[in-house]
Amino acid sequence: MLNSSWFFIETLHRLFILPTFLAGTIAVGLYINKGLRLPTTRLILLYLIFLPAYWTLTVQLHRWRTSRNAKRLGVKLPHTISGKRLGNLDLLRRLLGGLLRGYIGDIVDTVLDEEGVNTIKVSLLWSDVIFTRDPEVIKFVLSTGFDNFGKGPRAKVLGEGFLEPGIFAVDNPLAKYHRGILRPYFARERITDFKHFLQYTDKMLRILCNVADADEPCDIQEVFERFTLDAAGAFLFGSPDLNTLNLPLTRAGEPGASMGLYTGFVKGFEEAKNVLEMRRTSNIYAWTATQFFYNPMDEPAKLVSDYAEPLIKRAMEKRRVKEGDTDADEPECFIDHLILSMGHDTAGIKTQLVNVMLAARDTTAVLLAFVVYLLSVHPEVMEKLRSEILGAYSFEGIPTFEDMKGLKYLRAVINEALRLFPPVPINSRTSLRPCVVPTNDPQDGPFYIPKNVRFVYSTISLHRRSDFWGEDAEVFNPERWLDPIRSRKIASEPFNFIPFNAGPRICVGQQFAYNQASFVLIRLLQTFDQFTLVQDQSVSQNNLPPAEWKHSKGRKSEEKIWPQSSVTLFSKASVWVKLRRVADRVSKK
């Protein structure tokens, strides 16, 4: 199995082995034939001469073969851009700077707009990367040409020690095996049982009511992260003891203070996410080289294991005791389901739990945080949504799956938030074999790509294309989902809206996320009638959107928070709001 150390050796061997062999061959030949013994400095000089020569020859040969294969197939190569520095270092710096520190997705749109295309290829440090917002290209990568693409070795290495070999870090046939295990547990009967939602939602509401009564600002992003983590712990582990909602909330002006309160599994989980982000944003050769000496994932992974493994073993023992009991075939929680599916593979079960926990926690927390943000700056939408909710449930009614389906405006609000702020705004795949990729652009036509090309597709750019979504593409407008003409258009071209990915690897928990978010929003708007964004008063100036954004085009010029992406989307310095309780409910209490 590929790990980070072997990845480093396998990837960089071409920098050392053949150039060193050629330099050594010449040195040995000179010694045998001429009796000359080259000093070390001369050997190093020979190596430094052969290295760029060998590298240049390798790159040019690869480009020639790629061009020849494209001509043979009668198609073009993708539109290519080049920088002014060796290895396109200037482009790499610009792209990485935009992706990591700019408005999420903006740098992709800027570069594509400059070139007047929707797909480009750039060679970054001599490795080909394609950036696209073309729905036809994305459709081919995720669906119609699915077998030609995968997560690739990079994803396996990034997730090493935490996610790998789980569903987020593997390709077929292992990915198909994992999905086969997960899908039955997310069947309709289970994800429409809202008892876990109710228990943890009511607990969260009590906390938010105390904050509202004290007239204090609240980091709603943090609250939702804690809520989804606690609820996921009960749903997946069958364990109600994560209790992150019991910890003191972060106060304005104290960013990240609550992290120091986390212990055990939660501490390990959060620190492991930080390591994943460090790996994602660092040069892969740099951090894989350090793994020979120190692996920062070891400690958080141990904390996760120390919590999860005893739970798994207790569940295994409980199931062994119940053998022969006909009721034992019905899993009580996700661990039970995994034991039924995977037997006594403790390590495999733990990896599945971590992968699903990451998705179950982050996807819904991101969605809820950005819905509250959008409602805080669009009070007219908040008022209309509350009217629909109160018309169905009044102030106390408990939502069920069947009657929740009738709340069309709620679904429209959620979809519009997912469109503008998809949980995974930038995603990627790697070509596993050479193939011809179709496009939506008749001028460019289909193009050829070889093996090992990384495809970066910008979901957030796709979701904001004005040629599909209209001139108001960057405007928060839930009404678009209720317009019969627009909704038919969206349904007829589903690859223009992919908040949960698409194709054979579409998120198995998407309906779970919809149900949980809907339930929470109903209960939230039954309790509060106003969200006021107080970002300016709650975070430091360097965590607010930069002043120069006001001169940009689109919603970037009006954004009140700073959307960024790590494993998933988040708001830099969180989302700070003040909540106002409904007067009727306050008087009742």
Side-chain angles (χ1 to χ4, degrees):
M1 184 178 294
L2 183 70
N3 63 28
S4 56
S5 299
W6 278 112
F7 177 86
F8 178 80
I9 294 169
E10 184 181 20
T11 304
L12 295 187
H13 79 277
R14 57 183 177 268
L15 292 180
F16 303 104
I17 294 178
L18 190 55
T20 303
F21 174 76
L22 292 172
T25 300
I26 289 177
V28 170
L30 287 172
Y31 178 74
I32 293 174
N33 296 316
K34 303 289 186 179
L36 293 176
R37 186 186 298 273
L38 293 179
T40 303
T41 53
R42 296 287 179 86
L43 285 172
I44 293 173
L45 182 61
L46 271 177
Y47 168 76
L48 293 176
I49 291 172
F50 278 116
L51 178 61
Y54 166 72
W55 191 251
T56 300
L57 181 64
T58 301
V59 170
Q60 293 303 322
L61 182 61
H62 170 74
R63 289 175 178 172
W64 176 78
R65 285 175 175 167
T66 300
S67 179
R68 183 193 63 178
N69 289 339
K71 288 179 181 178
R72 181 172 55 83
L73 292 168
V75 295
K76 300 177 181 179
L77 295 175
H79 184 90
T80 303
I81 61 172
S82 300
K84 298 176 181 179
R85 300 282 182 86
L86 185 67
N88 285 330
L89 275 170
D90 53 334
L91 281 176
L92 177 61
R93 189 177 296 112
R94 183 188 179 196
L95 288 165
L96 275 181
L99 288 171
L100 300 179
R101 292 179 293 277
Y103 187 90
I104 187 67
D106 186 56
I107 186 62
V108 176
D109 287 329
T110 299
V111 173
L112 290 170
D113 289 344
E114 287 173 355
E115 299 295 315
V117 295
N118 289 310
T119 303
I120 57 164
K121 179 178 80 73
V122 57
S123 180
L124 300 174
L125 297 178
W126 301 281
S127 293
D128 289 343
V129 181
I130 285 178
F131 292 88
T132 188
R133 62 186 176 192
D134 185 330
E136 192 64 29
V137 173
I138 296 171
K139 178 181 178 180
F140 183 77
V141 171
L142 298 181
S143 181
T144 54
F146 176 78
D147 291 337
N148 297 305
F149 299 89
K151 293 281 190 174
R154 184 184 182 90
K156 297 182 179 69
V157 173
L158 287 174
E160 181 190 357
F162 188 57
L163 298 179
E164 202 267 339
I167 191 169
F168 290 137
V170 295
D171 293 320
N172 279 342
L174 198 53
K176 189 174 183 180
Y177 163 74
H178 285 315
R179 289 180 66 83
I181 290 173
L182 297 178
R183 193 178 291 109
Y185 194 74
F186 286 90
R188 182 179 181 277
E189 312 81 60
R190 192 172 301 280
I191 63 173
T192 57
D193 180 0
F194 292 166
K195 62 181 179 182
H196 289 310
F197 295 172
L198 179 61
Q199 176 186 351
Y200 289 98
T201 301
D202 283 356
K203 182 176 181 179
M204 177 182 67
L205 288 175
R206 287 193 294 272
I207 294 167
L208 292 176
C209 284
N210 290 337
V211 173
D213 291 345
D215 194 31
E216 293 180 349
C218 170
D219 177 358
I220 201 72
Q221 180 172 265
E222 179 191 60
V223 172
F224 288 143
E225 286 173 349
R226 293 188 186 192
F227 157 75
T228 52
L229 190 62
D230 288 358
F235 183 75
L236 301 177
F237 292 101
S239 172
D241 61 357
L242 292 182
N243 289 329
T244 61
L245 282 169
N246 291 354
L247 299 172
L249 297 178
T250 298
R251 299 176 68 87
E254 301 175 0
S258 64
M259 280 293 292
L261 301 173
Y262 291 161
T263 59
F265 173 85
V266 178
K267 180 181 179 182
F269 187 80
E270 293 295 336
E271 289 181 353
K273 279 186 61 183
N274 291 338
V275 175
L276 289 176
E277 176 61 6
M278 177 277 293
R279 289 175 175 179
R280 189 185 73 90
T281 57
S282 303
N283 181 284
I284 193 167
Y285 305 120
W287 73 258
T288 52
T290 65
Q291 302 288 97
F292 286 99
F293 313 104
Y294 169 67
N295 186 351
M297 188 65 84
D298 287 344
E299 185 177 341
K302 184 178 185 303
L303 289 172
V304 170
S305 295
D306 288 347
Y307 175 84
E309 288 181 6
L311 287 176
I312 296 169
K313 289 174 181 176
R314 283 202 298 270
M316 287 178 175
E317 178 61 21
K318 185 178 178 182
R319 182 148 295 279
R320 187 190 66 78
V321 171
K322 284 188 173 182
E323 279 183 2
D325 185 346
T326 54
D327 293 333
D329 290 336
E330 180 60 31
E332 296 177 11
C333 65
F334 191 53
I335 288 181
D336 293 331
H337 171 75
L338 292 177
I339 292 170
L340 282 171
S341 304
M342 302 175 69
H344 287 70
D345 180 7
T346 303
I349 291 171
K350 181 186 69 178
T351 302
Q352 287 277 27
L353 286 166
V354 168
N355 275 255
V356 176
M357 173 68 89
L358 183 67
R361 182 270 182 97
D362 283 11
T363 301
T364 312
V366 166
L367 171 57
L368 287 169
F370 279 90
V371 169
V372 168
Y373 161 62
L374 289 165
L375 292 179
S376 73
V377 293
H378 293 277
E380 75 285 356
V381 175
M382 171 95 164
E383 184 178 350
K384 183 171 182 178
L385 181 57
R386 287 194 73 248
S387 176
E388 180 183 66
I389 289 170
L390 296 179
Y393 301 106
S394 187
F395 293 102
E396 301 288 350
I398 306 299
T400 67
F401 174 73
E402 289 304 325
D403 52 41
M404 208 163 63
K405 290 191 296 184
L407 302 185
K408 304 299 183 184
Y409 195 67
L410 173 63
R411 185 60 171 243
V413 168
I414 291 174
N415 278 339
E416 187 70 346
L418 287 169
R419 184 184 71 83
L420 288 173
F421 298 105
V424 183
I426 307 285
N427 214 330
S428 70
R429 293 290 186 269
T430 299
S431 59
L432 303 177
R433 58 184 64 86
C435 59
V436 175
V437 180
T439 76
N440 247 355
D441 191 337
Q443 184 176 352
D444 279 349
F447 58 83
Y448 170 83
I449 56 156
K451 182 181 177 181
N452 290 330
V453 174
R454 191 173 173 213
F455 267 75
V456 177
Y457 56 98
S458 177
T459 304
I460 195 166
S461 302
L462 175 74
H463 284 184
R464 299 183 182 191
R465 284 186 56 165
S466 59
D467 56 343
F468 179 80
W469 296 98
E471 292 303 315
D472 64 346
E474 299 202 42
V475 175
F476 178 63
N477 178 21
E479 303 291 339
R480 78 177 75 246
W481 298 90
L482 304 175
D483 181 285
I485 297 174
R486 282 186 159 193
S487 58
R488 280 197 298 270
K489 182 181 180 184
I490 295 167
S492 67
E493 300 182 51
F495 277 85
N496 283 285
F497 181 62
I498 53 170
F500 295 101
N501 222 352
R505 293 195 73 150
I506 192 170
C507 176
V508 295
Q510 67 168 320
Q511 195 55 54
F512 175 87
Y514 269 120
N515 289 352
Q516 187 179 42
S518 299
F519 186 93
V520 171
L521 288 169
I522 290 168
R523 299 293 288 160
L524 196 64
L525 269 65
Q526 286 176 315
T527 308
F528 303 100
D529 62 7
Q530 185 180 83
F531 304 138
T532 304
L533 190 71
V534 289
Q535 202 81 348
D536 290 358
Q537 302 99 290
S538 305
V539 303
S540 61
Q541 191 64 37
N542 62 344
N543 286 322
L544 293 171
E548 59 266 24
W549 282 16
K550 294 186 182 298
H551 307 293
S552 305
K553 62 179 182 179
R555 71 171 296 115
K556 179 181 176 181
S557 64
E558 302 173 0
E559 212 72 88
K560 309 298 183 185
I561 60 173
W562 192 332
Q564 290 192 321
S565 177
S566 58
V567 178
T568 51
L569 186 71
F570 69 100
S571 170
K572 184 179 181 181
S574 296
V575 179
W576 288 89
V577 296
K578 280 191 172 183
L579 305 98
R580 188 177 72 186
R581 292 179 70 180
V582 175
D584 297 60
R585 299 204 51 182
V586 173
S587 62
K588 286 180 185 179
K589 296 178 184 290

